[in-house]
Amino acid sequence: MALQSKIMNRAKSEGRTALTEVESKELLKQWGIPVVETRLARNKKEAISMSKEMGFPVVLKINSPDIVHKSDSGGVRLGLANATQVANAYSEIISSIKPKYPKAIIQGISVQRMAPLGIEVIIGMSKDPQFGPVIMFGLGGIMVEVLKDVSFRIVPVTQKDAQEMIKEIKGYPLLEGYRGQEPASIPALKELIVSVSQFAEQNPQIKELDLNPIFAYKDKAIAVDARIILEEG
Ligand code: ADP
Ligand code: MG
């Protein structure tokens, strides 16, 4: 069933098509797609109390529909171990972002659980003028940015398609556990790809989706960053 969403209506009423990371993760979570615990703090005090509730270490990130590359602009702070570090990171993010994006709408700063390092993979959805929604899968970081090591399938993506998408990237041996590294759960990645395909298929108002990165572990996979763009109108 399609998402009946306050989040999408709010974006529409504000005349924007880009959802923030917090909004995007909320929609994905409603759809049953695993995302790292993420809450929106409106001020420093809230950020501190949220991080205490969540348990350290935490991550703080700028949350704005207008800022696409959060770390490039000093908007991401990882591995914050106590309340003082959270307070400092909060101020540093604001003072780094404000001069760079004087006009950006800042909804607040997200407080996230710091996920243990996993193998970074990405899943994306975009719309091809001819084929409609298309799902992309690849390894995160330089593997996708430099080597363009990705695979594509047209929605709806079946379990079998998903399996092929995972196996046909050149970096596949990394997912199997390279040189004693822990492997990534192929069943979890398969399920994630199929869920993203269903999400796209049943919510045609979504124009673009990026889960970048997802951390893959030996028994599960979880998105730590997400971005959704809605169709206009
Ligand atoms: P950007 O907007 O720059 O893509 P991200 O949210 O992807 O920002 O954060 C940058 C990097 O920080 C990610 O690629 C990931 O390695 C790390 N990261 C982000 N969120 C978390 C998290 N909750 N737990 C652990 N690492 C994270
Ligand atoms: Mg990212």
Side-chain angles (χ1 to χ4, degrees):
M1 206 179 66
L3 289 165
Q4 302 293 324
S5 163
K6 268 192 212 155
I7 291 170
M8 291 190 205
N9 291 337
R10 178 175 163 198
K12 235 170 241 175
S13 74
E14 291 177 4
R16 60 184 164 95
T17 56
L19 301 185
T20 64
E21 179 185 353
V22 170
E23 291 168 337
S24 304
K25 283 177 166 171
E26 187 57 42
L27 291 186
L28 291 159
K29 193 174 140 193
Q30 282 176 29
W31 197 258
I33 292 174
V35 296
V36 75
E37 185 181 355
T38 300
R39 292 175 65 188
L40 183 64
R42 316 265 172 189
N43 56 51
K44 196 182 279 184
K45 211 173 136 216
E46 265 185 18
I48 292 169
S49 63
M50 284 175 181
S51 57
K52 283 181 180 161
E53 281 165 27
M54 227 174 247
F56 298 102
V58 296
V59 173
L60 256 54
K61 297 185 202 171
I62 193 72
N63 196 63
S64 162
D66 303 318
I67 300 171
V68 181
H69 302 293
K70 299 178 292 290
S71 30
D72 291 354
S73 44
V76 177
R77 290 303 167 105
L78 303 172
L80 306 169
N82 54 51
T84 311
Q85 288 184 9
V86 168
N88 291 340
Y90 194 100
S91 307
E92 285 160 17
I93 289 174
I94 296 291
S95 53
S96 161
I97 291 293
K98 277 274 155 73
K100 286 180 187 133
Y101 293 92
K103 292 201 178 120
I105 297 166
I106 313 261
Q107 290 183 350
I109 287 190
S110 71
V111 179
Q112 311 186 3
R113 193 181 278 279
M114 173 83 185
L117 199 60
I119 301 178
E120 289 196 12
V121 304
I122 66 174
I123 297 175
M125 186 280 291
S126 57
K127 287 182 175 169
D128 181 272
Q130 204 171 348
F131 301 116
V134 171
I135 305 291
M136 182 199 74
F137 172 78
L139 289 176
I142 58 160
M143 296 301 280
V144 60
E145 281 158 25
V146 183
L147 304 174
K148 311 273 184 265
D149 183 21
V150 292
S151 54
F152 292 91
R153 286 294 183 283
I154 298 167
V155 168
V157 176
T158 64
Q159 290 273 346
K160 185 168 168 284
D161 294 331
Q163 175 91 17
E164 289 170 6
M165 287 178 82
I166 296 167
K167 290 209 164 161
E168 73 191 33
I169 60 168
K170 293 192 195 75
Y172 177 70
L174 294 174
L175 297 175
E176 284 186 301
Y178 184 68
R179 294 210 169 157
Q181 268 201 319
E182 265 199 355
S185 166
I186 305 300
L189 291 176
K190 237 164 63 173
E191 199 182 311
L192 202 51
I193 291 172
V194 171
S195 304
V196 169
S197 168
Q198 288 166 349
F199 181 70
E201 191 183 9
Q202 296 191 35
N203 295 282
Q205 70 276 42
I206 294 175
K207 185 181 180 202
E208 256 178 72
L209 163 70
D210 249 310
L211 304 182
N212 183 9
I214 293 159
F215 283 1
Y217 306 105
K218 66 173 194 293
D219 54 347
K220 62 182 177 188
I222 181 161
V224 304
D225 186 22
R227 181 169 162 86
I228 288 174
I229 309 287
L230 303 175
E231 295 282 2
E232 277 176 50

PDB file of all heavy atoms in Angstrom, residues 70 212-213 225, ligand 2:
ATOM      1  N   LYS A  70      26.355  16.944   2.781  1.00  0.00           N
ATOM      2  CA  LYS A  70      26.456  17.438   4.155  1.00  0.00           C
ATOM      3  C   LYS A  70      27.891  17.444   4.664  1.00  0.00           C
ATOM      4  O   LYS A  70      28.312  18.397   5.297  1.00  0.00           O
ATOM      5  CB  LYS A  70      25.589  16.560   5.080  1.00  0.00           C
ATOM      6  CG  LYS A  70      24.111  16.589   4.700  1.00  0.00           C
ATOM      7  CD  LYS A  70      23.282  15.683   5.603  1.00  0.00           C
ATOM      8  CE  LYS A  70      23.550  14.197   5.429  1.00  0.00           C
ATOM      9  NZ  LYS A  70      23.086  13.634   4.151  1.00  0.00           N
ATOM     10  N   ASN A 212      22.855   6.213   0.587  1.00  0.00           N
ATOM     11  CA  ASN A 212      24.293   6.325   0.352  1.00  0.00           C
ATOM     12  C   ASN A 212      25.025   6.947   1.539  1.00  0.00           C
ATOM     13  O   ASN A 212      25.054   8.151   1.660  1.00  0.00           O
ATOM     14  CB  ASN A 212      24.540   7.149  -0.912  1.00  0.00           C
ATOM     15  CG  ASN A 212      26.006   7.252  -1.259  1.00  0.00           C
ATOM     16  OD1 ASN A 212      26.845   6.590  -0.662  1.00  0.00           O
ATOM     17  ND2 ASN A 212      26.331   8.103  -2.207  1.00  0.00           N
ATOM     18  N   PRO A 213      25.626   6.126   2.386  1.00  0.00           N
ATOM     19  CA  PRO A 213      25.784   4.679   2.224  1.00  0.00           C
ATOM     20  C   PRO A 213      24.790   3.875   3.050  1.00  0.00           C
ATOM     21  O   PRO A 213      24.110   4.385   3.928  1.00  0.00           O
ATOM     22  CB  PRO A 213      27.190   4.445   2.778  1.00  0.00           C
ATOM     23  CG  PRO A 213      27.295   5.445   3.904  1.00  0.00           C
ATOM     24  CD  PRO A 213      26.468   6.635   3.486  1.00  0.00           C
ATOM     25  N   ASP A 225      22.541   6.993   5.563  1.00  0.00           N
ATOM     26  CA  ASP A 225      22.187   8.277   4.938  1.00  0.00           C
ATOM     27  C   ASP A 225      21.119   8.009   3.876  1.00  0.00           C
ATOM     28  O   ASP A 225      21.162   6.956   3.225  1.00  0.00           O
ATOM     29  CB  ASP A 225      23.429   8.924   4.292  1.00  0.00           C
ATOM     30  CG  ASP A 225      23.137  10.326   3.748  1.00  0.00           C
ATOM     31  OD1 ASP A 225      22.159  10.965   4.199  1.00  0.00           O
ATOM     32  OD2 ASP A 225      23.902  10.784   2.855  1.00  0.00           O
TER      33      ASP A 225
HETATM   34 MG    MG B   2      25.817  10.209   2.041  1.00  0.00          MG
END
